[in-house]
Amino acid sequence: MQQVILFALFGCGLGALYSLASQGLVLIYRGSGVLNFAHGAIGMVGAYIEWEVSVQRGFPYLIGLLAGVGTSAMIGVATHIVVMRRLRRASPLARVVATLGVLITCQSLILIWFGSANRFIASPFPSKAIQLGGGVYISENRVILLAIALVLTVLLWALYKYTSFGLGTAAVAENERSAATLGWSPDVIATANWAIGSALAGLAAILISPIVTLQVSILTNLVIAALAAALVASFRSFPIAFIAAIAIGIAQTELNRYVSQPGLGSSVPFIVIVVVMVARGQNLPLRDFFLQRLPRIGDGRVRPAAVLLAVVVGVVLIATASPNWIAALTISLATALILLSIVVLTGYSGQLSLAQYSVAGFGAWVCGRLMALHGMPFLPAALLGIVGAIVLGVAFVLPAARTRGINFAVVTLGLGAAIELMLFQNTTYSGFNVSRAGPPNLFGWNIDAARHPTRYAFVVLAVLVVACLGVANVRRGRSGRRLIAVRTNERAAASLGISVPLAKMYAFGLSAAIAAAGGILIYFHNRFVAYSSFTSFTSITDVGWAMIGGIGYVMGPVIGAVLAPDGAGGQLANSISPGLDKYVALFGGLLLLVLVLLNQDGLAPALAGQLKRVAALLPRLFVKGPRLVNGTRLGKGLRLGKGLRLGKGSRPRTNPPEPEGTTPVTWPTVPPRVLVVRDLTVRYGVTVAVDGVSLTVQPGQVVGLIGPNGAGKTTLIDAITGFVRPAAGAVHLDDAAITRWSATRRARHGVGRSFQSLELFEDSTVLDNLRVASDPRDGFSFVRDLFYPMQPALPPEVLAGIREFKLQDDLFRTVESLSYGKRRLLAIARTVAAGPSVLLLDEPAAGLDDAETAELALLVAWLAAERGMSVLLVEHNIEFVMQVCDEIVVLDFGRKIAQGSPGQVRSDPAVIAAYLGESTSAIG
């Protein structure tokens, strides 16, 4: 028992330092809404500055401490003013990548200046043992560290609870715009919190250096333990963060002492991260901003001339290069595979993973161990390694299924780091960390990288080309459209019948397979492989390299991989001047920051334009041929379906009018479905948003749902379509009870909806928005699209939408380039394209002028009368509702107060009274 208490006391000192770093993370998040992954690196710079001033220069410790803490604070201020302030309206992905750029830059600078040597630092505090009784002793320095952390926690708690600055920070954290109207400057608040938070990171790194040694990677990873404690505290409470950090420190020391499983103690912060994130799901309080723009994505078109040119250049370079250049090219090409997996996962599906290099290492580990221990030939071992990585990738989705965006990134960081610590650094499983696998052979062809580096490089090039073509095919196929829909808007994707969890699982599985291929090829580039080289930190830098190349473009990984360690960029730098390669990582970090600020799309789009010009100079034989649009081969007059076709240009045109006497085109009716809502109630805590509402919508009928603002109309639609779980009541589709069905299942059975805020897929074209709604939901396309992305003719209901909503001239325009009126019409057309039997429209006429509103009224009536849809219409334009609806239901404060024909509702006293607060003329 004495030993248990002793090691718990040791852990208190370590946990105290974790708490300092976690308080800094909480401060930065509360003040600016940024989850700062560079927190540990900023503190690491301060620790090295303190060591330089105090140890190397001989100044007193207090001077060195102030210099280190001050340097960290200044880096924090510069990070906010130069970078983060300009990204206030950027996507969460861009803000996270910006912090990764700061991390890479800080780490590169310290490595250039101080090197990577491990330095042992003497503690500035006395180490005399204090007897606590019962034979238990504790070192004075641990007591001092605990006291420092406790005092700072109390001071921070008091500062942010009782001072005007603390109140201002709380106001900004709740709502920046509202805080600004009250006189609080969000920019000043954020700058101050970045300074204080970064200073705490520097203090924590300085004080922890005597315990864990002064080393770049160790101090950079300080952010992980700090993140775990801050997560437990929900990025709000300083006392809870302190207690959580102490508990993590104690757990680490106790597990390291009493558990023989290597790496388990070090994995405690990662385990805490995963458990907390899975338990809370999407409820982590991540602050968001409007007008966010994700990086653009390529169209996936395969241009034979460009592919041929790239392959020829690659073959010539490999065939004529020196051994050093071949090695560098091989590393870059293999790394490009790992970056390509990030394009699939982050670029296409919007899931930011910080574990891709760990996944790649797992594939290499499976392959290497099968060959080393069981004598399995290279090809089957490699295939099994890829299969193992797919299983791991899919398994990653399970604990992260309830998270998305940055939350998902935090979970994957924890999972990837746990694999590194408990598997790659475990001598029991990794063969003393170095595995001797025999030279690889491929169909009897020796491709040993040591003896035949040129052959091996050709194999790596071939695998990369095949993988790029497969990813491009996915982008153009049904599966690619599903991924992009999930990336852009998960709610809208689910409303069209797309399974969001399945799409994420596919993206993670495919990306894991590609990453594993890259990991295996990196593994066999060296005869002796240290699995510990597959670090979670490299996963972070890989995201940066992918962003530089273009995270949404197939060409992007090839560009970004140039900056990989020991890659082509370093070799080129050494060719210019020996030793210049050590600056490549610094250049990459700075370039990443510049691109995040100026061009989040990366370098690929600009380079693609240059390649087009080069390809145009090639013989006409290589560029003449059918044009590809969204994966479809276009000759003269490709038919999109009956009534529309494409000519030589990309702009669609309507076929000439049919001759007199011919049968006019008729659009198919939908299967009739009756929507029945019985006593539906929705509660948000103690607030009742919908209170016992019942209604029925018959096929061919338009039922209006009106009421004052806040009456519960949109909440009722959300409950009917599966986006809100009702507290009581039932929803039936014909005789089927669908109350417990997911939104996806309801959509697949014919319940479709539009959104008040449109929620279109902004980065996609009009045609892709319509295709993703009408695509069959077959699972086989996930496999077939890798090889042959089929594009069948558009079904009649989609053509009906194109003609009736007058979208012929806009099919190949992106949504963001459309006028607001066109966007609203597209939102309805996309919902109709899915062929729903029950159609719920949420304020479809909002923002339309009188002419557009009148035309929309005719279209809604046509959908019910000609297509046989059951239409439930929510609308504030009372004239529009009275004109188009057969029956009207009126809500007020969540309760149904009237129901009947338009004439009956117009004269109902309860309806008139409900609208008195808005405008009696609205219904009069």
Side-chain angles (χ1 to χ4, degrees), residues 31 37 60 156 166 211 269 276 313 328-329 362 439 484-485 489 636 653 674 677 705 713 774 793 894 915:
F37 283 96
L156 289 171
I211 299 176
V276 171
V313 170
L329 289 171
F362 184 78
I484 294 167
N489 192 314
K636 293 183 178 180
R653 56 186 174 88
V674 179
V677 179
L705 185 64
K713 304 182 294 296
S774 62
Y915 273 91

Side-chain angles (χ1 to χ4, degrees), residues 581-602:
D581 61 323
K582 65 181 181 180
Y583 295 97
V584 171
L586 175 60
F587 171 76
L590 295 174
L591 179 61
L592 178 59
L593 290 174
V594 171
L595 288 176
V596 168
L597 290 172
L598 302 179
N599 178 21
Q600 297 176 26
D601 303 330

Side-chain angles (χ1 to χ4, degrees), residues 9 64 92 155 474 534 587 658 756 804 897:
L9 293 173
L155 290 176
V474 167
F534 290 98
F587 171 76
E658 299 185 17
Q756 182 178 353
E804 298 300 330
I897 61 172

